Amino acid sequence: MNQAVAKADPASAAGKGGAPRHVAIIMDGNGRWAKKRLLPRVAGHKQGVEAARRTVRAAGDLGIEVLTLYAFSSENWRRPASEIGDLMGLLRRFIIDDIDELAEAGVRLRVIGDYRALSPDIVSLIDSAIARTAENSRTTLVIALNYGAQDELVRAIRSFAADAVAGRIDPQTINDADVEARLDTSDLPPLDLLIRTSGEKRLSNFLLWQAAYAELMFVDTLWPDFDRDALAAAIGQFGQRERRFGGL
Ligand code: FPP
């Protein structure tokens, strides 16, 4: 039995009445939330940041070990420059304004995705926030920034190819655990629950490898309206799901 199958062993996995260890959220619906109120899209994104704050606090209280939030995808660069600027401004403010509270609440910050392509001041804010919270252990907040699952896999494949060409690895020995070790999520527990808000039913290039055995939940709530009760309800439903991991 290889390691990835062992990791997905029902006996050791979350579920079956238990709480998920690792929850990821595709925070969708900010634009529609604003449109319904005849507000500019940025107003929806601002409320989206409030929803993210509430959800991080709730995740800690509900005993979730890892919360991964899809904040900016590698495809979001296709949006108008003004909206990209708004999103980067909100991200900058979130880190500056919230780092003290996060650090004091025992939150460890991690980032997945090619975030070094963001503007240098944001990269340095992120790096210092990661360093400052590295020893925290209550909750891990993972923010996906300039993240795309296909890009993550391409980066892993490139690193295998480079090692193979240099004679450091034999391609025939590569197994799924080796692939996992080269993903951005290598040090995180397996994904248990993936939630998408706003009624859309797509994965949109988020955690495609990691979602192999995750429970998927699509809720109609627009992201700015997501709150503690919505997260608690999702966790309650997760506990009702029977996870079989390909077994019976
Ligand atoms: C989707 O809404 C949301 C995003 C593009 C991500 C933005 C996320 C936030 C502002 C929350 C920020 C969180 C942190 C941790 C800083 P959409 O614009 O696609 O909505 P629509 O589909 O209704 O247009």
Side-chain angles (χ1 to χ4, degrees), residues 3 23 27 33 93 133 138 141 159 168 176 217 225:
Q3 196 182 329
V23 176
M27 308 179 286
W33 184 95
R93 282 257 55 97
T133 59
R138 184 166 182 255
L141 169 61
S159 93
R168 290 188 289 268
D176 40 13
M217 228 169 261
D225 293 325

Side-chain angles (χ1 to χ4, degrees), residues 14 43 76 112-113 122-123 127 131 145 150 174 180-181 184 220:
N76 284 151
I112 57 171
I122 296 185
V123 173
D127 284 340
L145 289 173
Q150 292 176 342
I174 297 171
E180 292 196 349
D184 296 350
D220 288 334

Side-chain angles (χ1 to χ4, degrees), residues 161-170:
D163 280 353
V165 167
R168 290 188 289 268
I169 53 165
D170 171 1

Side-chain angles (χ1 to χ4, degrees), residues 165 191 211 216:
V165 167
L191 180 62
L216 306 182

Side-chain angles (χ1 to χ4, degrees), residues 185-216:
T185 51
S186 60
D187 60 337
L188 301 173
L191 180 62
D192 294 311
L193 172 61
L194 175 55
I195 301 169
R196 182 176 190 141
T197 59
S198 91
E200 305 286 350
K201 295 176 181 65
R202 291 187 289 278
L203 294 183
S204 295
N205 203 15
F206 192 41
L207 301 177
L208 298 182
W209 172 284
Q210 296 85 344
Y213 286 100
E215 292 298 319
L216 306 182

